[in-house]
Amino acid sequence: MQLIVLWDIDHTLIENAGVSKEIYASAFSLLAGRDPDGPARTEGRTDRLIMRELLVRHGVPVPDWGVVEAALVKAGGGREEDLRRRGSVLPGVCAALAAAAGRPGWISSVLTGNIAANAVVKLSAFGLDTLLDLSVGAYGADADLRPDLVEVARERARRLRGVGEDVPVVLVGDTPRDVEAALTTGSQIIAVASGIHSEEELRAAGASVVLRDLSETSRVLDLLERAAQR
């Protein structure tokens, strides 16, 4: 049985303890020459939208994306120690990722609003990068909207790993935008209430499966195995 599992990063796999907001603020300062008046608004948005909104809100002209991405890379570089010192891997994540990585025929990667470079920073800070096939993931530089990232990951899985067209896709994430991305692309969703959104909010967004977190490895793997059979 083949399956593509795409994990969100922030508040699904790790708690970044404010490091993400600091990266956006630092990138803004590099672009604008001053500190922002308030934090970036994230909640499942891609880095493209997060930085655009932050710049527009402060009346700063939005540069070409390559310039913005370079600022994000510089702002995120070397933040591994901050993440290890202040953040953490969320409950059950290591066991769930290891189990998914060990399943024959499964592709386990990420679908995240982070640009690829900063996704690697966050994952490698806790050794999670070795449990994921990051080359087939979809990242915040790949599209403005989260649902569009699903096809990016599917195409990479087909091209790089020979995955078939009809292989089921499961998204694992903590925001209504993760739920929307799954529902609008014919994917399945395992929502986790490990971020700021409650189980009730995730169900209201359309998630039929909502877990408190990923701590029950057998439950997570059972849900993924069922998805692979559909």
Side-chain angles (χ1 to χ4, degrees):
M1 294 181 296
Q2 288 189 311
L3 182 68
I4 299 172
V5 189
L6 300 172
W7 311 79
D8 176 49
I9 295 177
D10 295 298
H11 311 299
T12 298
L13 300 181
I14 70 164
E15 169 53 55
N16 67 62
V19 173
S20 277
K21 295 292 180 71
E22 293 170 6
I23 289 172
Y24 296 126
S26 178
F28 175 90
S29 299
L30 290 169
L31 296 168
R34 60 184 174 90
D35 293 338
D37 298 330
R41 298 167 184 166
T42 54
E43 296 183 8
R45 295 179 177 88
T46 65
D47 276 3
R48 282 180 175 270
L49 291 186
I50 290 168
M51 288 302 299
R52 184 183 304 158
E53 189 276 337
L54 186 60
L55 291 163
V56 170
R57 176 157 45 102
H58 286 80
V60 177
V62 180
D64 290 340
W65 168 247
V67 175
V68 178
E69 185 173 17
L72 283 168
V73 171
K74 186 173 182 179
R79 300 303 301 266
E80 292 90 347
E81 183 54 36
D82 288 334
L83 287 159
R84 283 191 289 268
R85 179 169 50 87
R86 292 159 46 191
S88 62
V89 179
L90 289 171
V93 164
C94 292
L97 292 183
R103 286 294 194 278
W106 288 17
I107 301 293
S108 182
S109 190
V110 295
L111 189 145
T112 175
N114 293 280
I115 61 169
N118 290 345
V120 171
V121 167
K122 291 177 177 181
L123 294 168
S124 63
F126 302 103
L128 302 181
D129 54 319
T130 61
L131 299 174
L132 293 155
D133 187 351
L134 295 179
S135 62
V136 301
Y139 302 92
D142 292 324
D144 284 353
L145 301 177
R146 204 171 191 93
D148 295 333
L149 295 179
V150 177
E151 181 53 33
V152 171
R154 280 176 166 152
E155 191 279 329
R156 286 175 177 159
R158 289 192 293 262
R159 175 168 50 86
L160 298 175
R161 300 292 178 263
V163 173
E165 293 277 348
D166 59 347
V167 171
V169 176
V170 179
L171 273 57
V172 185
D174 67 288
T175 74
R177 284 189 171 84
D178 294 299
V179 179
E180 176 195 20
L183 296 181
T184 59
T185 60
S187 306
Q188 299 174 62
I189 179 73
I190 298 175
V192 286
S194 49
I196 66 171
H197 297 283
S198 67
E199 293 184 30
E200 291 74 20
E201 288 176 302
L202 294 169
R203 290 192 187 280
S208 58
V209 176
V210 182
L211 305 178
R212 179 173 51 87
D213 54 32
L214 298 171
S215 58
E216 294 186 34
T217 307
S218 59
R219 173 68 170 147
V220 175
L221 267 292
D222 179 63
L223 289 167
L224 292 174
E225 286 168 355
R226 292 183 186 183
Q229 296 169 3
R230 295 184 182 179

